[in-house]
Amino acid sequence: MDRRQEILEAAAKSFSLFGYKATTMDQVAKIANVGKGTIYTFFTNKEELFNAIVLKMIEEMRAASDLVAVEGGTFELNVHARLMQLLKFRKTHQLYAKLIDEEKELRTPAVTEVLAQIEREIVSYVKLKIERAVGRGELKPCNSELIAYLLFKSYLALIVDWEKTHDMELTEEQIATLLSDTIFKSLLR
Amino acid sequence: MDRRQEILEAAAKSFSLFGYKATTMDQVAKIANVGKGTIYTFFTNKEELFNAIVLKMIEEMRAASDLVAVEGGTFELNVHARLMQLLKFRKTHQLYAKLIDEEKELRTPAVTEVLAQIEREIVSYVKLKIERAVGRGELKPCNSELIAYLLFKSYLALIVDWEKTHDMELTEEQIATLLSDTIFKSLLR
DNA sequence: TGGATGACCGGAATGGTATTTTAGTCAGTC
DNA sequence: GACTGACTAAAATACCATTCCGGTCATCCA
């Protein structure tokens, strides 16, 4: 198998298991059965290797989100399913969960940056979906950036924040109904 | 002037200026012109003194919120005005701003706890307002806890979080319109 | 003689320094 | 010439000495 691939797999494993700060380049080299110098022929530094791994994760997330979207489904149906899926990754996906933990505990700058980037991408993806739906006449024209932001933050609040202060987690049903009656409804043409 | 009051004022000054961690009991005693031991005849420890100061701040906030509410105004008008006012305190009020900063930088547990408490109180206050409005027939019956939470988080996102990633701060007009069209509208009977 | 005080105590925070760890390099190997 | 791992400088960590600070209490007046 080619060395670049070995390195990527080793790095993915190590970052998922130990996070960014606690994985060392020696560690990655050893797992990949490669001299440390070899890593630097493919990636300029640790952070770039990390970014490559995160990029792969983002691809996975995009694919998982596509999997729950229904061709020809309504804007609401699809955006709801996608955001639920994407936000579940925070607990489910080993690397994502590890990074969130590292952000909370260590505040590693590289990790903070990457997590912010992921959120920006999700919001900008939702924004795109809104604009498409407006374009085909499903939704009223609106400030898509603002609505995308509000939608994302609402899901984040209901899925992630709620359970930190309340002991019963909200059901998907509750979330769907609540946002359907409020934000989504108001967007319809 | 009575010693308890002197101590409270000294503590308020010191906490506002230096935050929780960086104010020392010796400091408070000196400002209050009081022996350190005297403080402990009125407050069992530093944290209780702190809680007393924060309680005063919460009273101030409640009063400021009452000031912007209009007797006989609609639910939307009043809740909007109150939440805007309350959230402005995060930048405006010296102690509040200091505590938010300390929470971000130091994560002092006593501060974390107090900030969480303030948020819980705001949400529970909004919840009460919702229930009153439902009671008088202005709003449809609903899950008041959930709606209060969503409302609070939405305002927080639009007022506080938005400007961290976007360079133009949202106008009150934009926020009012957005939430009026979405969440508030859906609550009306 | 009882409320007030500040010297005092122990544990925690801080600072300074010796040691280890680690990202990144590069001379040497195959 | 692709690959390696010993090497380097810088950063992180561990260590210890010192300071700092919350809380106490024997002492002191009023």
Side-chain angles (χ1 to χ4, degrees):
Chain A
M1 197 196 246
D2 77 301
R3 308 174 96 68
R4 187 190 160 86
Q5 194 56 30
E6 302 268 27
I7 292 167
L8 279 171
E9 276 167 29
K13 201 175 294 180
S14 188
F15 285 134
S16 296
L17 235 41
F18 309 114
Y20 178 76
K21 200 190 164 203
T23 92
T24 69
M25 296 301 264
D26 279 299
Q27 167 98 288
V28 173
K30 184 165 291 176
I31 297 176
N33 281 313
V34 145
K36 185 162 60 154
T38 308
I39 300 177
Y40 288 88
T41 65
F42 295 106
F43 304 93
T44 58
N45 55 35
K46 186 182 177 182
E47 196 161 342
E48 269 218 9
L49 174 59
F50 180 55
N51 287 335
I53 299 300
V54 170
L55 219 68
K56 288 201 139 216
M57 183 179 77
I58 291 177
E59 281 316 313
E60 278 176 55
M61 287 174 63
R62 202 183 298 273
S65 147
D66 286 342
L67 229 56
V68 296
V70 178
E71 185 78 27
T74 62
F75 169 79
E76 175 178 341
L77 188 75
N78 281 334
V79 165
H80 171 78
R82 292 189 118 107
L83 282 176
M84 290 298 294
Q85 178 79 343
L86 254 12
L87 287 168
K88 271 176 195 154
F89 266 60
R90 305 179 126 243
K91 274 185 169 174
T92 306
H93 194 287
Q94 202 181 7
L95 175 57
Y96 203 165
K98 194 79 203 173
L99 295 182
I100 287 171
D101 190 57
E102 185 169 351
E103 160 66 8
K104 204 175 87 181
E105 302 300 328
L106 288 309
R107 303 188 170 183
T108 321
V111 172
T112 308
E113 178 46 47
V114 142
L115 290 177
Q117 186 203 328
I118 293 174
E119 298 208 348
R120 281 198 305 275
E121 285 206 37
I122 294 178
V123 171
S124 108
Y125 188 73
V126 172
K127 181 182 171 191
L128 181 73
K129 289 292 175 186
I130 291 173
E131 281 160 5
R132 292 253 180 83
V134 170
R136 67 174 180 267
E138 186 181 346
L139 303 185
K140 298 188 243 202
C142 63
N143 183 335
S144 57
E145 173 76 19
L146 194 50
I147 298 286
Y149 190 74
L150 182 64
L151 264 177
F152 175 71
K153 284 288 191 173
S154 297
Y155 274 96
L156 202 61
L158 298 173
I159 298 176
V160 180
D161 298 340
W162 175 275
E163 62 172 333
K164 287 178 191 162
T165 41
H166 301 71
D167 29 40
M168 187 148 17
E169 193 169 336
L170 292 169
T171 64
E172 176 161 355
E173 167 79 19
Q174 281 179 292
I175 296 172
T177 307
L178 176 59
L179 295 180
S180 182
D181 287 348
T182 55
I183 304 179
F184 283 117
K185 191 171 64 180
S186 75
L187 298 178
L188 293 175
R189 168 171 284 283
Chain B
M1 199 196 245
D2 77 301
R3 308 173 96 69
R4 188 191 159 87
Q5 193 57 28
E6 302 267 28
I7 292 167
L8 279 172
E9 275 167 31
K13 202 175 295 179
S14 189
F15 286 134
S16 296
L17 237 40
F18 310 114
Y20 179 76
K21 201 190 164 201
T23 91
T24 71
M25 295 302 263
D26 279 300
Q27 168 98 288
V28 172
K30 183 165 292 176
I31 297 176
N33 279 312
V34 145
K36 184 162 59 153
T38 308
I39 299 178
Y40 289 88
T41 67
F42 295 106
F43 304 94
T44 58
N45 55 36
K46 186 182 179 184
E47 195 161 342
E48 270 217 10
L49 175 58
F50 180 56
N51 287 336
I53 300 299
V54 170
L55 219 67
K56 288 200 139 215
M57 182 179 79
I58 291 177
E59 281 316 311
E60 279 176 54
M61 288 174 63
R62 201 183 299 274
S65 148
D66 286 342
L67 231 55
V68 295
V70 178
E71 185 76 29
T74 62
F75 169 80
E76 175 178 341
L77 187 74
N78 281 333
V79 165
H80 172 77
R82 291 189 118 107
L83 283 176
M84 289 299 292
Q85 179 79 342
L86 254 13
L87 288 168
K88 271 176 195 156
F89 266 61
R90 305 179 126 244
K91 275 187 170 174
T92 305
H93 193 288
Q94 201 181 7
L95 175 57
Y96 204 164
K98 194 78 203 172
L99 295 181
I100 286 170
D101 190 58
E102 184 169 351
E103 160 66 10
K104 203 175 89 181
E105 301 300 327
L106 288 308
R107 301 190 172 183
T108 321
V111 172
T112 309
E113 177 46 46
V114 143
L115 289 177
Q117 186 203 326
I118 293 174
E119 298 209 346
R120 280 198 306 275
E121 286 206 37
I122 295 177
V123 172
S124 108
Y125 188 72
V126 173
K127 181 182 172 193
L128 181 72
K129 289 292 174 186
I130 293 173
E131 280 159 5
R132 292 253 179 83
V134 169
R136 66 173 179 269
E138 187 181 346
L139 303 185
K140 298 189 242 202
C142 64
N143 184 335
S144 57
E145 172 77 19
L146 194 51
I147 299 286
Y149 191 75
L150 182 64
L151 264 177
F152 175 70
K153 284 288 191 173
S154 297
Y155 274 96
L156 203 61
L158 299 174
I159 299 177
V160 180
D161 297 341
W162 175 275
E163 63 172 332
K164 287 178 191 159
T165 39
H166 301 71
D167 30 40
M168 189 149 14
E169 192 169 337
L170 292 169
T171 64
E172 177 162 352
E173 167 81 20
Q174 280 180 292
I175 295 173
T177 308
L178 175 58
L179 294 179
S180 182
D181 288 348
T182 55
I183 304 179
F184 283 115
K185 191 171 66 180
S186 75
L187 297 177
L188 294 175
R189 172 170 281 284

